[in-house]
Structure formats: structure tokens, C-alpha cells
Amino acid sequence: ATLSLTSTSKHSYPMARASHSVRGAPNAHDYRREMANIDAAIGARRFPRPIPFGWFSIGRERDLPSAMVPESGAAGEVMSLQAVGRELVAWHDGTTYRVADAFCPHLGAHLGVGGRVDDGCLVCPFHEWTFDGAGRNASIPFTDRTNAKAQLRMYSTTVVDGHVRLWYHPDEGVEPLWTVPSLIDDSMVHCGSAQWTVASAWQEMAENSIDMAHFVSVHGSPTLGEVGQVDEDGPVRKVVNVTKYETAQGVIDGQLKVEMYGPGTSVTRFELFGTINLLSTTTPIDDGHCTIRMDFFHGGDDTSASIAEPFAEEVQRQFEQDVPIWENKRFVASPALAPYERPITEFRTWASQFYA
């Protein structure tokens, strides 16, 4: 079968820059009253909610500095990064990845600027105080004593499907409330990657997955698809969409299955002639920017392999068409919706549990 994935959008946009609550989670705030109407004032905040809590990728393990995991006896490299509204550092202690706030509790030096890793401990570049994998002060030069007050804020980490993730919650005492399982199995073949930083909030972007009308008006889909079965279990949301595809054989129905594991990870499984799996991570940098990383995998059969590259290109094209809208729109807490847009309200109810 021959699949044509090209379509003509009705708009021309510039290229982009490269219901259940979680058990144990604090009660979600009701933000609907905060922005009942669109605030058209110059400089007004475009999205009223804070950075969500959850598991967020700090990068694909293959993209992290190789010197973070040094050879035996060598000093490890410290990586500086910005995520979840904070300045952070990451290192490898010989066993696992560690992530902490970036500033030394002694006199405030940035631990990622000149810092190093010795024997698994993070070494401050200013006075060479060291910190272990739990963030505790491990040693101080010229004394045998340590300082219990010198404690780094640490973030739980995990490595799944090639991504190093951190757990973030504004209350550092809240331990991870769920796990992100492996979503890619050994039979799936990697066939492409992409990455963007977008001036928008995760919820505004994620909402597109059930906004079926925009696939017609923005991306040129031949007709309106529909949101099918929706299953929610705390932080996990699974949706089966029926989407129209224009092929050499005419317009046919295809299934698009979206699984979300909190605000930071999703997998979308496209089923048409073959199967393409899209693993996507969204990491808030601050309250107005996110980094999105996509990895594409085909099902391993010849048909899936033949459509993988054009399908990945089409997904990226559509994503980049959405960016100018995301980066300039403003959140409407009580929107005027069409009769078929109820899934937007249902998605927002599910998403509200990730704000503390």
C-alpha cells in the first residue's frame, strides 16, 4: 500500500525554533476564577497556572555529556541545566544520575561552573566542600567535621526509554506519586528524533491532541476526526482517536492512540497500514517555556519501515505549524465551545490535578 502524508494547510506559518486525582497529591487549585475572561492587556500572563509537578526529562541519555560517566578513577563532569523553573546541576555518582539545585549552601557558588565529581561526590569550585548523592555535606577542607545545615535540594531520578527524568514537586517533601513505565519495546525500531523549545505551557500544547477541529483548519486534514474511548486512572490518560488520512487509495480511517503519564511523557501510536510510535517528552523550563523531545519508532515490519520517514516528517511539520499559535494565544478558562468539543473540558479536568 502507498501512503501519501502530504497535505496542504490553509495557513502559512514560519518555521518554529529548533476524572481522577493523583492519590496522595495535594488538592488541585481552582484556577478557573483567576482568568474568567481573556486578558488582552499588553504584557498580561498568557497562562495562569504554575509549573506542574511530575516526571520530566532532562535529556536523552545519549545526548548527555559522555564525561558525566567517567572512566574508573577519573573526575566526572557536572552538567548545568534549567528546568522546572530552577537552576539545576546533574552528575553521575558511579551508580546513578543525580540532580540538585545548582547553588552551594555554603556561600552560593554555582556548582556547575567549575564544579567536578570526585569519588561520586559533587565538589564545589569555590571552597571544595563536597556533597554526596543524597545532597548531604560529605567533607570540608581543613576540618574533620561536616555541616548538617549544608544540604542540597535533591530530585529523584530515573532512566526509562533512553531518557533521564527528574521528579519535581514545589513541595520538596512530596516523594514521587507515580512511575513512568517503559513505553518502547525491543521490537520497535528507532527512525528519527526532533527537539524544540516553545514559548508555551505544557497544557496548551497537550490540549491539541483532542482538539480535532484544528487538524482540519490548521493542518489540512480532509475531514473532522473524533475522540473515541477515553480511560483515566490518576496520572495516566489513554485516548483512542479516529482520524481521517488522505492516501493514494482515498480518505481512510486510522487510529491514533495517545497515552499520557502525567504532564511530562506521552506515547502516540499511529495505526494505519503500519505502526509508528512517537515517544514525546515535555519539560517546563519556566512558567512560559517548554522543551519538547520527540523520538519516532516503527513497528519493525517492512510496511511500517516504508512509511516511517514521511510520517515523522509530517508530524514535525504539523508541530511547527502549531507553534506560532501556541506562542501567541492566551488561555481561556471558560471557553465558548462547539458541541463536539467536550473532550477539551474533560482533558482540562484531568490536567488540573498536576498543579499544587
Side-chain angles (χ1 to χ4, degrees), residues 152-356:
L152 294 173
R153 176 176 178 178
M154 301 297 297
Y155 300 82
S156 297
T157 61
T158 186
V159 181
V160 181
D161 290 333
H163 281 264
V164 181
R165 291 179 175 84
L166 64 83
W167 167 262
Y168 167 75
H169 193 285
D171 180 349
E172 61 182 292
V174 177
E175 296 294 327
L177 299 171
W178 68 89
T179 59
V180 177
S182 178
L183 302 169
I184 303 299
D185 62 43
D186 292 340
S187 67
M188 301 177 189
V189 180
H190 187 261
C191 55
S193 298
Q195 180 169 323
W196 301 265
T197 295
V198 180
S200 186
W202 82 276
Q203 185 177 321
E204 293 278 65
M205 293 184 285
E207 195 170 282
N208 266 31
S209 66
I210 42 78
D211 179 359
M212 305 310 290
H214 98 282
F215 287 105
V216 178
S217 57
V218 177
H219 304 312
S221 294
T223 187
L224 186 69
E226 62 181 274
V227 176
Q229 180 178 344
V230 178
D231 294 310
E232 295 179 356
D233 183 9
V236 180
R237 191 172 203 264
K238 299 181 180 182
V239 181
V240 179
N241 293 336
V242 178
T243 306
K244 305 292 184 180
Y245 293 95
E246 190 168 359
T247 74
Q249 287 73 39
V251 177
I252 63 173
D253 288 341
Q255 282 197 339
L256 187 151
K257 300 177 180 179
V258 182
E259 302 173 19
M260 303 184 71
Y261 294 82
T265 300
S266 68
V267 63
T268 304
R269 308 190 193 279
F270 302 90
E271 297 182 359
L272 194 54
F273 299 122
T275 300
I276 307 296
N277 300 279
L278 165 58
L279 177 66
S280 181
T281 66
T282 300
T283 303
I285 300 172
D286 53 32
D287 61 7
H289 298 81
C290 291
T291 295
I292 296 87
R293 298 176 177 90
M294 291 184 181
D295 286 282
F296 297 88
F297 302 82
H298 66 69
D301 59 283
D302 291 343
T303 301
S304 296
S306 69
I307 67 172
E309 182 176 350
F311 211 115
E313 290 176 352
E314 176 65 10
V315 170
Q316 293 173 66
R317 183 189 72 85
Q318 292 191 15
F319 183 93
E320 290 170 350
Q321 287 180 320
D322 287 327
V323 171
I325 295 176
W326 289 329
E327 293 194 328
N328 292 281
K329 74 186 296 291
R330 293 193 178 179
F331 182 75
V332 184
S334 183
L337 297 176
Y340 52 79
E341 293 180 316
R342 182 177 177 181
I344 292 176
T345 302
E346 295 170 344
F347 170 79
R348 290 184 174 190
T349 299
W350 175 80
S352 67
Q353 68 184 295
F354 302 113
Y355 302 102

Side-chain angles (χ1 to χ4, degrees), residues 51 56-58 81-88 155 166 168 283-286:
I51 293 171
F56 300 107
S57 173
I58 66 170
L81 65 144
Q82 295 177 327
V84 296
R86 305 184 73 82
E87 298 278 355
L88 303 172
Y155 300 82
L166 64 83
Y168 167 75
T283 303
I285 300 172
D286 53 32

Side-chain angles (χ1 to χ4, degrees), residues 76-82 87-91 100-104 107-117 122-129 152:
E77 184 173 313
V78 183
M79 184 179 78
S80 300
L81 65 144
Q82 295 177 327
E87 298 278 355
L88 303 172
V89 289
W91 75 98
D101 281 349
F103 301 100
C104 180
L107 287 173
H110 193 298
L111 297 165
V113 182
R116 67 183 190 278
V117 180
L122 182 61
V123 183
C124 176
F126 198 7
H127 297 92
E128 295 192 323
W129 287 32
L152 294 173

Side-chain angles (χ1 to χ4, degrees), residues 136-163:
R136 297 180 296 252
N137 176 220
S139 68
I140 300 173
F142 316 116
T143 179
D144 293 333
R145 299 179 61 182
T146 58
N147 190 324
K149 183 179 178 181
Q151 171 72 46
L152 294 173
R153 176 176 178 178
M154 301 297 297
Y155 300 82
S156 297
T157 61
T158 186
V159 181
V160 181
D161 290 333
H163 281 264

